[in-house]
Amino acid sequence: MNTDKRTEIATLGEFGLIDHLTEPFVARNASLVKGPGDDAAVIDTGADDYTLLSTDMLLEGVDFDLTYFPLKHLGYKAVVVGCSDIYAMNGHPTAITVSIGVSAKLSVEDLDDLYSGIRAACDDYGIDLAGGDTRASVTGLVISISTVGRVAKEKVTYRSGAQLHDLICITSDLGAAYLGLKLLEREKIALGGVPNAQPRFEGYEYLLRRQLKPVARREVIMELEAQGIVPTSMIDLSDGLASELLHVCRQSKCGARIYLERIPIAREVHTLAEELHIDPVTAALNGGDDHELMFTVPLAMQDKVMQFGYGVEVIGHITEESMGAALVTPDGSNIALKAQGFHGN
Ligand code: ADP
Ligand code: MG
């Protein structure tokens, strides 16, 4: 441990910390087209297309709680998280490696469950298990998945390409995964120690599904391809809309206006948010885990993207950098967007 000087990590925040750690590295190989800072690294192997590489880690007690997160779902979700990062580069995943830190409380049958979820996601997204690593863990289950993909060179989409007046599009409603988590946490507390108790989930199946069985938006990437659209920028919404839009603004050197009444929020989110005294808009802006994509396209593409059959919504537009990023309320006032730290993947 370094004892000469101590800077608390909180003074930098998650993204400041990543910048701090990665900034001193200079790329040595011309093959690294894009290093740290986007949803996946972009590597030129000399083939016709680029190789994409993304890695994500899930920690028990931080990212999931095994008392209410079934292992099969956890395996499935870990793969979806990786695929979503590859789609966010406008590419397609092809293979994963899976590394696990296994605590003594898990049995072979538990790990079979975890891997049946991983297998189901590999089937759904057409990808292969390419390897991994297995270690004992003293701090609970750790799952780390690296995802490899490919993208045609002319289609690779970064966080940095948004242009003035572009439309900001998202691929589905937001906040449901976060409310799904709040519901699971509520039932865990309510049922703590009660034998044979039944959790109260009726009416909220959609929220649970969004938390426990998320979808990576492959069909949107395929639709963009079919329509001949290459977005100017794209990112996946793992950490929440506000934080991810700020990444796009920072890297594209632009500002943004998103409109409150255009942000799609499911009926179930409103209902449960009211029950739990949570602001549904805050859940939509800052709740992580949605794994929807946010992309920008030139204004002229509006009709085309609105015709996508997958609930693509135009929620705002790109502005001059000096205007910052803000949410516009129905009465016309602007609320500056703020990022949340250490959240999601
Ligand atoms: P995502 O939420 O899309 O998985 P992150 O916010 O975790 O992305 O990471 C943002 C970028 O920073 C990615 O390019 C990632 O590879 C990089 N990154 C994150 N943590 C580290 C680290 N410890 N060392 C090097 N690069 C990192
Ligand atoms: Mg991402």
Side-chain angles (χ1 to χ4, degrees):
M1 296 274 269
N2 189 334
T3 49
D4 297 345
K5 183 170 179 242
R6 183 179 168 88
T7 308
E8 295 302 328
I9 290 169
T11 59
L12 296 179
E14 177 182 357
F15 304 118
L17 177 65
I18 296 172
D19 287 348
H20 174 81
L21 296 175
T22 57
E23 201 258 340
F25 287 77
V26 275
R28 289 199 177 82
N29 300 290
S31 54
L32 187 68
V33 178
K34 175 75 195 170
D38 218 299
D39 290 289
V42 180
I43 298 163
D44 188 350
T45 61
D48 287 345
D49 49 12
Y50 284 143
T51 295
L52 300 167
L53 176 60
S54 157
T55 190
D56 282 294
M57 183 160 56
L58 298 175
L59 298 177
E60 182 176 356
V62 177
D63 298 299
F64 60 88
D65 182 332
L66 286 179
T67 53
Y68 55 70
F69 214 115
L71 280 158
K72 182 171 180 180
H73 286 266
L74 186 61
Y76 191 93
K77 182 168 178 166
V79 178
V80 166
V81 167
C83 291
S84 185
D85 277 330
I86 300 296
Y87 292 130
M89 305 304 290
N90 207 20
H92 288 279
T94 53
I96 52 168
T97 61
V98 179
S99 298
I100 50 175
V102 186
S103 60
K105 70 172 189 249
L106 294 181
S107 65
V108 173
E109 288 72 20
D110 291 331
L111 294 179
D112 284 342
D113 284 346
L114 179 73
Y115 270 71
S116 73
I118 291 174
R119 217 161 47 241
C122 285
D123 290 345
D124 285 357
Y125 292 94
I127 56 182
D128 296 309
L129 177 68
D133 196 17
T134 307
R135 308 288 297 149
S137 163
V138 289
T139 53
L141 178 62
V142 179
I143 306 171
S144 175
I145 296 202
S146 294
T147 313
V148 178
R150 56 210 300 179
V151 60
K153 287 183 178 171
E154 66 281 8
K155 286 186 179 159
V156 62
T157 305
Y158 298 106
R159 296 175 176 181
S160 56
Q163 303 291 319
L164 186 63
H165 306 311
D166 277 356
L167 299 171
I168 301 169
C169 309
I170 55 169
T171 50
S172 185
D173 60 274
L174 300 179
Y178 176 75
L179 265 295
L181 179 64
K182 292 288 144 198
L183 180 65
L184 289 163
E185 284 173 352
R186 176 182 80 176
E187 295 308 296
K188 179 187 170 186
I189 293 166
L191 303 179
V194 182
N196 303 323
Q198 284 302 309
R200 290 179 301 138
F201 292 145
E202 320 75 50
Y204 294 132
E205 291 79 5
Y206 177 66
L207 305 181
L208 288 181
R209 184 155 39 96
R210 296 277 288 181
Q211 173 59 225
L212 295 176
K213 195 162 186 269
V215 174
R217 293 287 168 204
R218 171 169 54 180
E219 73 277 28
V220 173
I221 300 307
M222 291 167 76
E223 183 72 26
L224 285 167
E225 214 166 288
Q227 298 286 337
I229 301 173
V230 178
T232 49
S233 75
M234 187 145 56
I235 188 167
D236 94 311
L237 297 179
S238 49
D239 288 345
L241 174 64
S243 156
E244 310 290 13
L245 182 57
L246 287 168
H247 283 312
V248 169
C249 286
R250 188 166 59 99
Q251 297 195 25
S252 299
K253 298 188 174 36
C254 64
R257 287 292 173 277
I258 55 172
Y259 294 86
L260 180 57
E261 73 274 18
R262 298 222 196 136
I263 295 178
I265 299 177
R267 183 177 44 80
E268 293 88 338
V269 169
H270 282 288
T271 318
L272 184 64
E274 193 172 317
E275 246 183 75
L276 299 180
H277 308 292
I278 293 171
D279 174 21
V281 176
T282 306
L285 287 179
N286 297 325
D289 269 359
D290 281 315
H291 297 295
E292 297 301 333
L293 299 171
M294 180 176 76
F295 59 90
T296 54
V297 290
L299 199 54
M301 301 283 175
Q302 177 148 20
D303 290 346
K304 266 192 175 175
V305 292
M306 299 282 275
Q307 279 162 18
F308 279 22
Y310 310 107
V312 170
E313 303 277 350
V314 176
I315 60 164
H317 56 85
I318 297 295
T319 66
E320 307 273 5
E321 188 174 18
S322 59
M323 290 181 68
L327 176 73
V328 184
T329 60
D331 67 8
S333 42
N334 287 341
I335 302 170
L337 294 178
K338 290 196 192 69
Q340 306 269 307
F342 282 102
H343 192 290
N345 306 294

